[in-house]
Structures are given as C-alpha cells and as structure tokens.
Amino acid sequence: MLRGMIRPTILFLLVTPLLAQWSNYPSKRIPMKDGKPDLTAAAPRTAWDAPDFSGVWDNVRVRPPAGNGIPPPVNGPAPAPPPPPASGPPVATFANIAAGMKGGAPLQPWAAELIKQRRASNSKDNPDALCLPMGLMQFNTHSQPRKIIQTPDMIVIIYEPNSGLRQIYLDGRTLPGPEADAWWYGYSVGHWDGNELVVETVRMKDLQWLDIWGTPLTEDGEIIERFRRTNFGTLEIDVTIDDARAYTEPWTVRVNQRLLPNEELIEFICAENDQFTNYLTKAAVKP
C-alpha cells in the first residue's frame, strides 16, 4: 500500500463513526417530497438573485469496478478508467484526475517524469500525507465533504480534510501578477456567466500535487473552474488546467458533487493524535 494514497481512506474510516456529532437539526430551506428532501427540485437562488451554492457537498466518487479507488503499486496493473460521462468532460478521480482522459493528461516530458518519480516513492511527499494543505483538485475530489458559504462579494469553502479554508472573491478585484507570493490555495476571483460561476485561481505553490499520483501544477499555472447547480442536490464543476510549463495544452475534467442535506462538517485536525506513522510501522506496509 502507498503512504500518500492510503492516508485519506484510513482517516475517512477513522472519522466515519463520528459523523453524527450534532443532534439532528433539519434545515428549513430544503424542499421536501413525501417526507424526504427533494434533491431533484429546482436549484435555489440567493436573496440577491444569484445561483445559490450554499450547503455541505460530497464528491461523487468514481471507483474501479473491483477496487476501492486506491491505485495499485507502481509496478502493478493500471486501474480501470472511470466510465465516460453522458456528456461533458471526463470525470476526475481522487487518485488520478486524468484517469478518464484518453491518453491521459497532455504532459510535458519533465512533468511525466516527475509523476513517475512521485509514484516510485509511493507518493510519500504528497501534502495530504504530511498534514499540509492539499492541491485544490485533491480537495475537490476528496472523500470527506466541504461546506460552501456564499455572500454577494465572497464565497468561502471549508474543506473537512485538513481543515482547509478557501476564499473566492466576487467583489470585482483583479488577479495579482507574477510578483505575488505563491500560496497553498493561490488567489481566487470569480464572476458570473449567466447561471455559471467562473473562478480563476493563480499563484499556487510550485509543483503542487493535483492528485495522489502527483500530477503537477507549477506556480505559473492557472486553474479555471465553472460551477453550476443543475438542481437542488447536484453541483457540477468543470475544471480547466492551464499551465504551459507542465502541459502541452490546456485540459478539462469534471467534478460532480452531491448535496448532503441536514448534515454538518466534523472538526478534523490532521496532526492531532496522528496515528498514521504508528499504523505503518505496526502493519509493516510494503511498497
């Protein structure tokens, strides 16, 4: 098993029994049908008449038919690719966001070699394995949920894994230039294109990990996300990676999210009482 690859699954299993820490407090804003939340109802709008993305969302995971979504060892067979969507870009997976792309991501030679090196070291330097902030795509495809809080001038996304916190500015400011310090989450600004929210993010830390396999993003790259809520319970995010240093052309994948009605995030402090290293030692995990 792989250190960087099994940590998210182990942590998810550890926290699963704790999901019901708040007493049941159903939201009054959720439409009901036959006594149950109607997730197929029309997508809501805010008081200022914008699409409303508020809520707790869970990634719709795509798993190989006979596995649990964790890639095999480096020298093992490749996992089965996810089925193609009915329409739109291929669906990203937590392990490899380009798994659904024919031929994979359009990597520059050095980027392809970097992925090989990262996988050969069992992804031990993946930020998720070190209790550091993950790349945005790892956050988007993680098995633990995220909460979106929306105001007219800002969207805040709270990611349950590693207590991630992201700010998307909607107040008309422009993106900073290359002189800005690179950040873990970069700098995000958004604007509305009809019912879609277009978010541009730049100046993320160099050689960021976009997935467990180590698909890279350089500090000169940009991530463009198009958010749309197709009904009350469904959020689609089309994500374009535009990074001429790492890729021969821009490429796009999709992240599907489902609403978790009447649920809340749990507190997750990655480094607190971390038993992961002890687990590896006792289990004598081998590459």
Side-chain angles (χ1 to χ4, degrees), residues 183-216:
W183 286 356
W184 287 102
Y185 300 103
Y187 303 78
S188 296
V189 301
H191 67 271
W192 294 102
D193 181 9
N195 288 326
E196 290 188 346
L197 176 66
V198 181
V199 178
E200 300 172 84
T201 303
V202 299
R203 301 299 296 152
M204 287 153 281
K205 283 189 175 293
D206 202 29
L207 302 183
Q208 182 177 112
W209 295 55
L210 293 175
D211 52 28
I212 294 177
W213 281 13
T215 302

Side-chain angles (χ1 to χ4, degrees), residues 22 53-58 139 144-150 155-161 164-166 235 257 259-260 263-266:
W22 282 97
F53 300 139
S54 300
V56 176
W57 299 91
D58 182 33
F139 274 127
Q144 292 172 254
R146 71 279 307 146
K147 174 185 275 190
I148 296 179
I149 301 171
Q150 186 169 341
I155 285 179
V156 174
I157 304 180
I158 307 171
Y159 299 98
E160 186 176 277
L165 182 64
R166 181 186 180 195
L235 183 65
Q257 307 275 311
L259 184 72
L260 298 180
E263 293 197 26
E264 292 291 348
L265 303 183
I266 67 168

Side-chain angles (χ1 to χ4, degrees), residues 107-181:
L107 294 158
Q108 297 281 8
W110 74 264
E113 181 60 30
L114 178 62
I115 294 176
K116 290 181 181 180
Q117 293 173 10
R118 287 174 166 179
R119 295 193 65 201
S121 66
N122 292 336
S123 297
K124 65 180 180 61
D125 295 322
N126 189 308
D128 189 22
L130 304 174
C131 288
L132 293 170
M134 288 174 275
L136 295 185
M137 283 302 292
Q138 279 195 270
F139 274 127
N140 282 341
T141 57
H142 204 282
S143 59
Q144 292 172 254
R146 71 279 307 146
K147 174 185 275 190
I148 296 179
I149 301 171
Q150 186 169 341
T151 74
D153 292 333
M154 177 184 289
I155 285 179
V156 174
I157 304 180
I158 307 171
Y159 299 98
E160 186 176 277
N162 296 5
S163 298
L165 182 64
R166 181 186 180 195
Q167 301 177 88
I168 300 171
Y169 291 93
L170 309 177
D171 56 4
R173 70 182 65 190
T174 59
L175 289 166
E179 73 284 352
D181 291 337

Side-chain angles (χ1 to χ4, degrees), residues 243-260:
D243 186 353
R245 278 179 56 197
Y247 303 97
T248 59
E249 61 183 355
W251 51 287
T252 303
V253 292
R254 176 168 292 175
V255 177
N256 293 315
Q257 307 275 311
R258 61 178 178 177
L259 184 72
L260 298 180

